[in-house]
């Protein structure tokens, strides 16, 4: 047993003593930290999930959602769940690719660039990813894709000649790699800190969906958004393994029912909002357009290199995911 697992067992045991175990017929109160603003669709869907859990378990589990990094910052959420500080929370999966390269499966550039293809890629990856998460003392209840990722800049960009030395907000290893390959300087910044980073010049560019730009009103600092649709990263709601295993089977089934329904509604909401975000960026003065051919060709070449490097680090399990995806 690793030190992390020992700590998690001790912390969860304490949490169950404090809140009462489902098996003993007592309700549990769960705090659920989330990294994104309360108005972001992921957070809104998290509230819907919590309401469903409360309903389907007849109040046996009462989840309180804490959006915007208000309980734990985005970078601290996974460990808080692993160690039992909270039983449940949400984070984007690829944020953990440095620890477990396999979890970067959803950041492979230009592999699955539509919602349908992204869903197929998740189906190909699901079992392998869940096995990896089990090793991290986590159980994934549901995942939900962001809209496709594009580039935000404070100026017109036609190629990498225009990106040299630009300070670039990264949110994981894949985005940092893109920045470095384009001659930019990656700076790790959580979504909750993005507005301040743009306002103070800590960063002046980033890659994300239209959602982040809309939530953070980046038109106050940036001028251009380039549609690239490089990948559709996924957030996932995870629960501590000991907490999950301590639930009665009927409670587990009720929570999973809520999770499955929320996964479907969250994916549908993401697709519904994708064009809305572009319209809002443009309405607020940003130039929203497809990346030009030279810039796109550079990005695709970088993407092919990144996929090859991922396969080296993820090993046979990574290759199996891509093989299963390509076979569909």
């Amino acid at each position: 047993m690793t030190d992390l697992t020992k700590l998690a067992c001790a912390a969860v045991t304490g949490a169950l003593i404090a809140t009462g175990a489902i098996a003993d017929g007592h309700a549990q109160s769960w705090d659920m930290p989330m990294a994104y603003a309360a108005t972001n669709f992921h957070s809104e869907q998290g509230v819907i999930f919590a309401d469903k859990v409360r309903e389907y378990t007849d109040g046996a589990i009462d989840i309180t959602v804490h959006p915007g990094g208000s309980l734990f910052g985005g970078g601290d959420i996974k460990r808080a769940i692993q160690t039992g500080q909270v039983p449940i929370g949400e984070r984007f999966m690829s944020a953990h690719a440095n620890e477990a390269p396999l979890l970067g499966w959803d950041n492979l550039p230009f592999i699955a660039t539509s919602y349908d293809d992204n869903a197929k890629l998740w189906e190909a990856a699901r079992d392998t990813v869940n096995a990896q998460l089990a090793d991290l003392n986590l159980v994934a209840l549901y995942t939900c894709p962001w809209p496709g990722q594009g580039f935000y800049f404070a100026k017109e960009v036609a190629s990498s000649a225009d990106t040299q030395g630009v300070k670039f907000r990264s949110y994981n290893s894949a985005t940092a790699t893109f920045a470095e390959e384009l001659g930019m300087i990656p700076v790790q910044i959580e979504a909750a800190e993005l507005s301040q980073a743009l306002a103070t010049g800590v960063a002046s560019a980033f890659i994300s969906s239209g959602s982040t730009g809309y939530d953070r009103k980046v038109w106050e600092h940036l001028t251009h958004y380039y549609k690239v649709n490089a990948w559709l990263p996924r957030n996932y709601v995870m629960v501590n393994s000991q907490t999950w295993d301590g639930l009665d089977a009927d409670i587990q089934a009720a929570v999973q029912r809520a999770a499955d329904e929320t996964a479907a509604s969250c994916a549908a909401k993401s697709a519904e909002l994708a064009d809305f975000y572009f319209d809002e960026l443009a309405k607020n003065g940003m130039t929203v357009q497809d990346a030009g051919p030279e810039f796109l060709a550079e990005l695709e070449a970088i993407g092919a290199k990144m996929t090859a490097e991922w396969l080296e680090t993820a090993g046979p399990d990574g290759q199996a995911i891509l093989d299963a995806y390509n076979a569909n």
Side-chain angles (χ1 to χ4, degrees), residues 5-191:
T5 303
K6 290 177 182 176
L7 181 58
C9 289
V12 172
T13 299
L16 292 178
I17 291 172
T19 61
I22 292 289
D24 292 335
H26 300 116
Q28 288 189 22
S29 296
W30 287 7
D31 288 313
M32 180 174 164
M34 304 184 77
Y36 295 90
T39 54
N40 182 271
F41 74 93
H42 282 287
S43 299
E44 292 175 341
Q45 292 291 318
V47 172
I48 290 172
F49 167 69
D51 289 343
K52 286 178 178 288
V53 168
R54 195 175 301 108
E55 176 186 352
Y56 296 164
T57 65
D58 293 324
I61 297 180
D62 183 19
I63 298 176
T64 300
V65 174
H66 301 270
S70 57
L71 186 60
F72 289 95
D76 298 321
I77 289 175
K78 177 177 73 70
R79 183 169 177 81
I81 300 166
Q82 286 178 294
T83 57
Q85 296 175 71
V86 290
I88 191 172
E90 183 195 53
R91 180 70 165 149
F92 56 89
M93 190 171 289
S94 59
H96 311 136
N98 283 341
E99 178 181 356
L102 187 75
L103 299 183
W105 67 273
D106 62 338
N107 274 196
L108 303 180
F110 307 108
I111 297 295
T113 59
S114 69
Y115 281 95
D116 285 345
D117 285 348
N118 180 265
K120 291 177 183 176
L121 184 59
W122 169 231
E123 285 304 312
R126 184 195 302 268
D127 290 345
T128 306
V129 167
N130 283 337
Q132 176 70 81
L133 292 174
D135 290 341
L136 299 175
N137 200 42
L138 299 169
V139 174
L141 295 181
Y142 73 87
T143 70
C144 178
W146 290 91
Q149 304 291 278
F151 283 88
Y152 291 86
F153 289 103
K155 62 179 180 179
E156 183 176 358
V157 170
S159 73
S160 60
D162 302 315
T163 60
Q164 301 304 303
V166 170
K167 294 178 182 178
F168 185 88
R169 174 255 178 167
S170 65
Y171 59 75
N172 60 13
S173 57
T175 52
T177 297
F178 249 130
E180 290 165 350
E181 291 286 337
L182 291 168
M184 295 189 284
I185 303 169
V187 184
Q188 184 79 24
I189 299 169
E190 291 293 335

Side-chain angles (χ1 to χ4, degrees), residues 139-287:
V139 174
L141 295 181
Y142 73 87
T143 70
C144 178
W146 290 91
Q149 304 291 278
F151 283 88
Y152 291 86
F153 289 103
K155 62 179 180 179
E156 183 176 358
V157 170
S159 73
S160 60
D162 302 315
T163 60
Q164 301 304 303
V166 170
K167 294 178 182 178
F168 185 88
R169 174 255 178 167
S170 65
Y171 59 75
N172 60 13
S173 57
T175 52
T177 297
F178 249 130
E180 290 165 350
E181 291 286 337
L182 291 168
M184 295 189 284
I185 303 169
V187 184
Q188 184 79 24
I189 299 169
E190 291 293 335
E193 302 162 354
L194 180 57
S195 296
Q196 182 179 4
L198 295 174
T200 57
V202 172
S204 60
F206 64 100
I207 183 173
S208 191
S209 68
S211 174
T212 302
Y214 173 74
D215 287 345
R216 297 297 163 187
K217 299 181 179 180
V218 301
W219 50 79
E220 295 176 354
H221 311 288
L222 305 179
T223 58
H224 287 71
Y225 180 83
Y226 290 97
K227 299 180 185 179
V228 174
N229 223 33
W231 59 77
L232 283 68
R234 285 189 174 241
N235 280 13
Y236 70 119
V237 169
M238 54 193 142
V239 64
N240 176 282
S241 292
Q242 280 79 36
T243 300
W244 183 251
D245 292 342
L247 301 179
D248 287 345
D250 59 334
I251 297 296
Q252 285 186 345
V255 174
Q256 193 59 61
R257 174 189 171 195
D260 292 344
E261 291 179 2
T262 307
S265 66
C266 190
K269 177 59 69 172
S270 179
E272 174 190 328
L273 289 172
D275 287 337
F276 165 80
Y277 291 134
F278 293 149
D279 291 342
E280 289 299 306
L281 295 178
K283 186 185 300 183
N284 284 281
M286 293 192 72
T287 299

